[in-house]
Amino acid sequence: MAGTSTAETDSKLIGSHHGQVSAGDIAVGVIIGRTSEFFDFFVYAIASVIVFPKLVFPTHDPLAGTLYSFVIFALAFIARPFGTVLFMAIDRAYGRGAKLTIALFLLGTSTVAMAFLPSYEDVGVIAAWLLALTRFLQGLALGGTWDGLPSLLAMNAPHNRRGIYAMIPQLGAPIGLIVASSLFAFFVANLSADDFFAWGWRYPFFVAFAINVVALFARLRIVVTPEFSKLYESGDLQPTRIKDTVRTEGRNVVIGAFAPLASFALFHMVTVFPLSWVFLFTNEGPERFLVIEAVSAFFGIAAIVASGPLADRVGRRNLLVGSAITIAIFSGFAPQLLDGGAVGETVFMVLGFILLGLSFGQSSGIVASSFSRHHRYTGSAVTSDLAWMFGAGFAPLAALLMAGNFGLIAAGAYLLSGAVCTLIALWIDRQSSRTDRSAD
């Protein structure tokens, strides 16, 4: 633990030169942390479409190779809850700094290890097993990157500004996508196919390691502060045993896992899936669509920011219900847009990211606010793991499998199912809340 102690000490020294950590510092730490996680996520997601099918599964046709790649993609989401169990134990035994240092080091190492992945031509099927191993370790590490900073923001949010505070952690997703898409677009556009598949695709994975180092110190600077330590020692941000949290907050965990499904289904419908569809079923190169993704993600940022004051005005639950209904409507004509050439693809992506920003911007806030203060830290982590596993882990695989066999209209049906699940979960939560109030 010597390295951990050194990292924490350095962070304390950095923090001491800037006085007390403000709400703005916490927000910056949250955004940097989430950006690093989503950058790792999107680097792998993009490579799973344009690199790994050719590099790891060349004996299969492009569609089958991409589907196998998406199976490995899902491993990280399966591993994530196990990582939460492991790293929560480390948190209780050795502290928040030790947990974050080990988790982010493992995340960065497993991500950069993908940059050294040999091809099928070099080692045969071992390449697929190595990719699966690094992806599983990546998911295990993601389970340990929960730092409690979103919970800290939620606990310090004024009553009339909870929506604004809730949307801050979500900004990391579109920022991570912009950086990852731009990097891959640059290398695809400026390298020959041989150079790109030989070495060009590996550079974004090296960048991921550097970003994780920056994120580690940004987070440690906050979690070692007296303010954070006080909340930790008082129990407000202290990790509780997962079985105790599930026993006490089981209803909120289940509802929280299904309430964001509309957001998560749309999340992959405008990020991973459309790239795979365009790459496999059109004659377009990936670089143009990667640029469309990056530009559209800026609309997502604007929509996430707008979701904050909008939620504070109309209510977070009402915004999520309205967003789910709109996503359900969008699912009816989204396939036609995506299949409508360059103009249709652009309209699809821009509209999709606007809807995603409005729903995704508040999808975690309603979950965190439902937990008691004592269980909010662990409950939010567990719920996030389950929501991503159910809502996102198998989404690219399911959407591409359905679209490949039944056409794009099937992908629209998948998006509709996510919206329906969200509406049902929010309705159950509302009915349960009314019952609780009546009992009180």
Side-chain angles (χ1 to χ4, degrees):
M1 293 295 176
T4 300
S5 300
T6 302
E8 288 192 45
T9 301
D10 291 343
S11 298
K12 289 179 180 178
L13 290 174
I14 293 172
S16 66
H17 294 157
H18 292 80
Q20 292 186 337
V21 177
S22 65
D25 293 325
I26 298 172
V28 171
V30 169
I31 293 173
I32 292 175
R34 294 301 170 268
T35 298
S36 71
E37 293 173 16
F38 279 106
F39 178 78
D40 287 359
F41 172 89
F42 285 120
V43 164
Y44 180 87
I46 294 171
S48 69
V49 174
I50 67 177
V51 177
F52 296 142
K54 180 180 177 64
L55 191 78
V56 182
F57 303 106
T59 59
H60 300 275
D61 64 78
L63 175 59
T66 305
L67 289 172
Y68 281 122
S69 185
F70 282 166
V71 170
I72 296 178
F73 173 88
L75 284 178
F77 297 92
I78 297 172
R80 189 166 175 168
F82 295 99
T84 294
V85 173
L86 171 64
F87 285 99
M88 282 293 177
I90 294 175
D91 194 338
R92 292 194 300 270
Y94 301 103
R96 194 72 41 87
K99 184 193 82 164
L100 283 176
T101 302
I102 296 171
L104 286 171
F105 179 79
L106 177 60
L107 178 60
T109 302
S110 57
T111 301
V112 79
M114 293 177 182
F116 297 98
L117 183 75
S119 67
Y120 179 88
E121 294 181 356
D122 296 327
V123 296
V125 296
I126 295 177
W129 287 106
L130 289 174
L131 180 61
L133 175 62
T134 53
R135 182 61 176 165
F136 185 85
L137 291 175
Q138 197 179 45
L140 203 69
L142 278 170
T145 57
W146 181 254
D147 48 26
L149 295 181
S151 296
L152 182 61
L153 277 174
M155 292 162 75
N156 288 282
H159 181 74
N160 61 342
R161 301 187 68 189
R162 289 178 178 175
I164 293 176
Y165 279 66
M167 67 84 182
I168 291 174
Q170 311 300 73
L171 290 170
I175 295 174
L177 175 62
I178 290 169
V179 179
S181 297
S182 299
L183 270 176
F184 269 104
F186 173 81
F187 285 111
V188 171
N190 290 280
L191 296 176
S192 66
D194 290 340
D195 286 341
F196 176 77
F197 284 104
W199 55 268
W201 70 270
R202 303 177 189 270
Y203 275 84
F205 288 90
F206 292 122
V207 174
F209 183 81
I211 291 178
N212 277 320
V213 172
V214 175
L216 172 62
F217 278 91
R219 292 174 171 190
L220 285 179
R221 177 177 177 267
I222 297 172
V223 302
V224 300
T225 58
E227 294 86 353
F228 198 98
S229 298
K230 182 178 179 181
L231 286 169
Y232 176 83
E233 292 167 1
S234 68
D236 286 340
L237 287 180
Q238 190 169 358
T240 54
R241 293 188 180 277
I242 292 178
K243 63 178 182 181
D244 295 336
T245 298
V246 172
R247 183 170 59 246
T248 305
E249 303 276 359
R251 186 189 72 184
N252 290 328
V253 169
V254 172
I255 292 174
F258 287 94
L261 288 192
S263 299
F264 289 159
L266 182 58
F267 186 92
H268 283 293
M269 284 295 290
V270 296
T271 55
V272 184
F273 169 75
L275 177 63
S276 66
W277 177 265
V278 170
F279 188 64
L280 290 171
F281 296 101
T282 72
N283 296 321
E284 303 172 19
E287 64 274 12
R288 187 182 65 81
F289 194 81
L290 286 169
V291 172
I292 292 176
E293 277 196 329
V295 173
S296 301
F298 282 100
F299 288 88
I301 292 176
I304 289 175
V305 173
S307 75
L310 188 59
D312 289 331
R313 178 180 293 252
V314 304
R316 186 182 297 149
R317 189 192 306 274
N318 291 333
L319 177 60
L320 290 177
V321 169
S323 298
I325 293 173
T326 309
I327 290 171
I329 296 171
F330 179 69
S331 70
F333 59 88
Q336 290 82 358
L337 288 175
L338 184 57
D339 201 29
V343 174
E345 291 168 5
T346 302
V347 174
F348 167 83
M349 293 296 291
V350 171
L351 287 179
F353 265 103
I354 291 173
L355 288 178
L356 177 64
L358 293 174
S359 59
F360 185 68
Q362 299 299 315
S363 62
S364 66
I366 194 169
V367 174
S369 63
S370 299
F371 291 110
S372 63
R373 293 173 70 92
H374 181 66
H375 290 284
R376 182 169 292 174
Y377 175 78
T378 302
S380 297
V382 172
T383 302
S384 177
D385 292 342
L386 296 177
W388 279 107
M389 183 171 68
F390 292 134
F394 301 95
L397 175 64
L400 183 59
L401 186 62
M402 294 170 64
N405 286 281
F406 305 106
L408 267 176
I409 191 67
Y414 180 84
L415 182 57
L416 175 62
S417 68
V420 171
C421 287
T422 289
L423 291 172
I424 292 174
L426 292 174
W427 179 81
I428 293 174
D429 184 46
R430 181 186 293 273
Q431 296 302 115
S432 300
S433 299
R434 287 176 177 173
T435 301
D436 291 343
R437 285 196 297 269
S438 299
D440 291 339

